[in-house]
Amino acid sequence: MGRSPCCSHDAGVKKGPWTEEEDKTLVEHIQKRGGNVGRWRGLPKAAGLNRCGKSCRLRWTNYLRPDIKRGNFTDDEERLIITLHAGLGNKWSTIATHLEGRTDNEIKNYWNTHIRKKLLRMGVDPVTHQQLPCDQTNQHVNGAAAALLWAAAAASLGGLSTGALMQAQLLQQLFQAIGSNNSTTGLIANLAAANTVLKSSSSIVPNQMNYLQPSYLCNTSNFVEQHVVQQQLTNDTSPGTSSFAAAEPADQLCNTAASYDLAPAGDWSPAREFAGLLEPMMELPGLCSLEGDSFWKDTLEESYRL
DNA sequence: AACCTGCCCAACCGCCGTCTA
DNA sequence: GTAGACGGCGGTTGGGCAGGT
C-alpha cells in the first residue's frame, strides 16, 4: 500500500481554475472514448492537456460530467442530507449516492456553508446532531413532553381529524415511556419501550417504519402540505383498531401543557429538546421512523414553528 | 470610489484502500 | 508478502464576488 506520488509535483503542470478551452478539450476527449476514461494518469497526455490526471478526474467528476445537477438544493435534498448525515457522518461520497446528480464536493460545500450554520442557529450540534449543551439538562423529559403537547395543540389548532389527535396521544404515550426514568442509562431502555408502544400501534402509525429520524425535527423546511396529511390520515387511520381512548379535547391538551415548563427561553424550544431526546434511537435496531409519515413530520414541524 | 469583511465554492492536498506485478 | 500505481475520499485553501462602511 505505497503512497501515491502526488502528480502536483510534476514540473510545468498547470494548476488553478480551468479555462473553457481546457473544459472543452477534456469533455471532447472523454466523449470520443464513449465516456470510458481509462487511466486518469494517462489522460492529460492523450487529450493534450497540461494538467495532472487527478486534476482532470476532479474537474470531470465534480463539474463536467453530463449527469451533474447544478443549481440550488431543494428542501427535500437538504432534508435528505441532514438525515443521511445524522446516520453516516461526513461520508460525503456515500451521501452523494443518495442524491441524484449531486457530487460529494457539492454536498460537502453545501453542508459547510449552509446546513452546518443553520443547525448551529437552531441549537443543534452539526457533528452529533444532538441538542447543544443546555443548562436545563434535567428538563429534557419535561421539554419533550412539552413538545408533544405543543404538537397536539398544533394539530388541533390546525383542524386535524380525531385520528390526528389520537396520534398525538400516541406521542404522549411515547413520552410517558421515555419519561418514566430520568437516568441516562434508563433513557435507552425507555426509548426501546417507547418504540414498543409505536410498534404496537401500527394501526395508527400508517407506514412501516425503521427508525426515528430527529433530523426531521431539526430543520425549518416545510414538510408535506397539510392536505396531504389529511389525505394520509383518511387513508391510513383505522378508528376502532386502536387501543387508545378517544382523543382529549384540544383545550384539555393545552391545559395539560400549561402544567409543564413551557417557556422557551432564548433559543431553547421543546421541539428541539424532543429532537435531542430522540437521537439515541438512531442506534437501536428495528425502531420506528418518521420517514414516510407526514403526520409525524408535519405535527412536529408545526410544533417547532410555534 | 476605495477599502474592508465575510461568504461561497472550485480546486488542491495528502492520506487511505485496493489492485497488480 | 511486498511495494508501487492508482483512484477515491475528506479536509482545507484561496480567489472571486457581494455587501457594507
Side-chain angles (χ1 to χ4, degrees), chain A residues 230-275:
Chain A
Q230 295 275 25
Q231 186 64 47
Q232 190 165 5
L233 287 168
T234 307
N235 292 342
D236 298 338
T237 305
S238 311
T241 57
S242 163
S243 61
F244 296 97
E248 285 179 44
D251 57 351
Q252 191 178 333
L253 283 167
C254 292
N255 289 338
T256 318
S259 67
Y260 292 92
D261 178 11
L262 279 178
D267 59 358
W268 179 84
S269 83
R272 275 181 254 154
E273 291 289 306
F274 179 26

Side-chain angles (χ1 to χ4, degrees), chain A residues 16-301:
Chain A
W18 281 63
T19 63
E20 273 185 41
E21 192 63 32
E22 287 175 316
D23 282 348
K24 196 171 161 224
T25 304
L26 180 59
V27 169
E28 280 177 359
H29 178 78
I30 293 174
Q31 281 175 347
K32 239 185 272 176
R33 299 165 128 257
N36 178 27
V37 176
R39 292 194 170 190
W40 283 108
R41 179 157 292 215
L43 184 144
K45 197 176 174 185
L49 284 163
N50 186 27
R51 294 272 183 175
C52 75
K54 202 168 183 174
S55 179
C56 292
R57 179 174 58 82
L58 228 56
R59 184 64 179 168
W60 174 257
T61 55
N62 287 340
Y63 199 83
L64 298 173
R65 235 173 48 202
D67 57 333
I68 281 184
K69 186 167 145 190
R70 320 281 324 164
N72 295 337
F73 281 77
T74 65
D75 285 349
D76 282 342
E77 285 176 318
E78 184 176 316
R79 216 175 299 139
L80 184 55
I81 291 168
I82 294 170
T83 303
L84 291 168
H85 187 274
L88 297 166
N90 294 359
K91 300 284 179 194
W92 305 117
S93 59
T94 311
I95 292 171
T97 62
H98 292 84
L99 284 98
E100 198 178 347
R102 300 294 189 182
T103 68
D104 55 350
N105 204 38
E106 198 178 9
I107 292 169
K108 179 172 60 183
N109 282 333
Y110 188 69
W111 177 271
N112 287 327
T113 57
H114 293 90
I115 300 178
R116 195 173 161 277
K117 289 173 189 170
K118 189 186 263 189
L119 291 179
L120 284 170
R121 277 199 304 274
M122 295 165 71
V124 175
D125 187 333
V127 177
T128 63
H129 292 251
Q130 301 271 6
Q131 181 74 26
L132 284 166
C134 175
D135 292 337
Q136 300 150 303
T137 7
N138 60 348
Q139 293 182 9
H140 266 112
V141 171
N142 279 353
L148 152 71
L149 293 162
W150 278 73
S156 67
L157 288 172
L160 293 179
S161 65
T162 302
L165 285 174
M166 288 166 72
Q167 294 202 20
Q169 279 210 314
L170 173 59
L171 260 180
Q172 189 173 24
Q173 289 219 354
L174 168 67
F175 283 116
Q176 280 170 358
I178 292 170
S180 63
N181 185 337
N182 286 346
S183 74
T184 308
T185 49
L187 181 59
I188 298 296
N190 288 330
L191 286 167
N195 182 58
T196 306
V197 173
L198 283 170
K199 275 188 168 172
S200 69
S201 62
S202 57
S203 61
I204 291 183
V205 183
N207 299 316
Q208 183 59 42
M209 298 174 171
N210 300 317
Y211 52 85
L212 280 162
Q213 297 187 56
S215 53
Y216 281 124
L217 315 174
C218 300
N219 71 77
T220 54
S221 304
N222 290 325
F223 289 118
V224 188
E225 293 297 328
Q226 199 172 74
H227 71 270
V228 178
V229 179
Q230 295 275 25
Q231 186 64 47
Q232 190 165 5
L233 287 168
T234 307
N235 292 342
D236 298 338
T237 305
S238 311
T241 57
S242 163
S243 61
F244 296 97
E248 285 179 44
D251 57 351
Q252 191 178 333
L253 283 167
C254 292
N255 289 338
T256 318
S259 67
Y260 292 92
D261 178 11
L262 279 178
D267 59 358
W268 179 84
S269 83
R272 275 181 254 154
E273 291 289 306
F274 179 26
L277 255 182
L278 293 181
E279 187 65 24
M281 299 191 78
M282 300 284 296
E283 298 166 12
L284 297 175
L287 293 177
C288 296
S289 166
L290 295 175
E291 180 138 46
D293 187 328
S294 49
F295 169 79
W296 297 100
K297 292 176 191 172
D298 259 13
T299 302
L300 292 164
E301 170 70 11

